[in-house]
Amino acid sequence: MGCAISGLAESAGLAEKIVRDRDAGGGLGQHPSRGQIDMIKESWKVIRDDIAKVGIIVFVRLFETHPECKDVFFLFRDVKDLERLRTSRELRAHGLRVMSFIEKSVARLEQLERLEALAVELGKSHYHYSAPPKYYDYVGAEFISAVQPILKDRWTAELEEAWKTLFQYVTRLMKQGYEEEEDRQNQPADKRNTTAL
């Protein structure tokens, strides 16, 4: 029991560190370096084999460390039993969608325009789901915590930094998309219709 609790505390601390690093200028969402891209792609080959499992772990841990995130998910809002969450088909499906986004992001690491468009569009759609940007950083931290045991001795401080850099970059773009959509939705209806054309 102590291990699970310390693991949760570590991932909660990691989310806070990601936010602090980003806000302090240590990771303002810059694109990963060439070396980081190579590390991410190599590690993804291993992670990919367990994407359904990782997706579930990410969200169960997210709801454990940040229960307020459940408010965004209508289906899980009132679920208190973590075992029910772990076996939920809906949570599995959502986890797979998130993992699919991560897979697409990894595939587009050398195609910046396509990666940026993907992340900005995801941010815009999250506006319509009422999923505020303050939660985006948490997902990256939970992903990192979930994949460490899968990668075992392949996990290094450099690899962790590479994944953090990717998540900070994508999160910045998602926040940009969310804010663009929020601004568009807050325009008077007549202006909104002309900008959509």
Side-chain angles (χ1 to χ4, degrees):
M1 185 113 123
C3 293
I5 292 169
S6 66
L8 293 177
E10 286 171 18
S11 65
L14 182 58
E16 291 166 9
K17 184 177 181 337
I18 288 172
V19 172
R20 271 194 321 270
D21 286 353
R22 186 199 66 226
D23 292 347
L28 286 174
Q30 72 270 11
H31 188 266
S33 69
R34 174 76 254 162
Q36 288 176 323
I37 290 171
D38 293 341
M39 285 189 278
I40 290 168
K41 287 187 167 200
E42 251 337 277
S43 64
W44 181 255
K45 292 175 187 175
V46 177
I47 296 165
R48 185 178 50 209
D49 294 337
D50 287 313
I51 59 171
K53 178 177 144 186
V54 171
I56 291 169
I57 291 169
V58 166
F59 281 93
V60 169
R61 289 178 62 98
L62 178 67
F63 296 154
E64 286 176 314
T65 58
H66 300 282
E68 70 277 12
C69 292
K70 283 202 310 190
D71 292 341
V72 174
F73 295 89
F74 176 75
L75 289 170
F76 314 124
R77 192 172 293 157
D78 298 321
V79 177
K80 304 276 188 261
D81 179 14
L82 292 178
E83 201 48 48
R84 219 173 112 208
L85 275 176
R86 283 185 184 92
T87 58
S88 165
R89 280 196 303 227
E90 292 85 1
L91 186 64
R92 178 184 170 88
H94 186 74
L96 281 170
R97 282 192 298 276
V98 170
M99 296 304 289
S100 173
F101 170 76
I102 294 170
E103 183 166 40
K104 289 174 185 171
S105 297
V106 170
R108 289 169 174 77
L109 277 169
E110 295 159 304
Q111 303 164 347
L112 283 185
E113 286 179 17
R114 291 183 69 207
L115 175 55
E116 288 175 5
L118 178 74
V120 168
E121 281 308 308
L122 186 62
K124 288 178 180 180
S125 67
H126 276 65
Y127 173 83
H128 295 287
Y129 300 139
S130 299
K134 65 182 179 179
Y135 298 137
Y136 303 168
D137 292 306
Y138 302 153
V139 174
E142 296 307 336
F143 173 85
I144 288 169
S145 294
V147 299
Q148 284 176 354
I150 291 168
L151 292 167
K152 298 177 183 145
D153 59 341
R154 294 182 180 129
W155 191 259
T156 64
E158 293 80 15
L159 181 57
E160 181 171 328
E161 192 59 36
W163 278 106
K164 278 177 30 184
T165 300
L166 174 59
F167 276 104
Q168 288 168 342
Y169 177 69
V170 168
T171 296
R172 178 182 58 81
L173 293 166
M174 285 180 65
K175 288 178 181 178
Q176 175 188 323
Y178 183 98
E179 289 164 5
E180 286 175 10
E181 189 61 17
E182 183 177 44
D183 290 346
R184 194 178 79 76
Q185 292 297 322
N186 289 328
Q187 288 179 353
D190 57 335
K191 284 189 176 182
R192 197 177 329 137
N193 290 337
T194 59
T195 57
L197 301 174

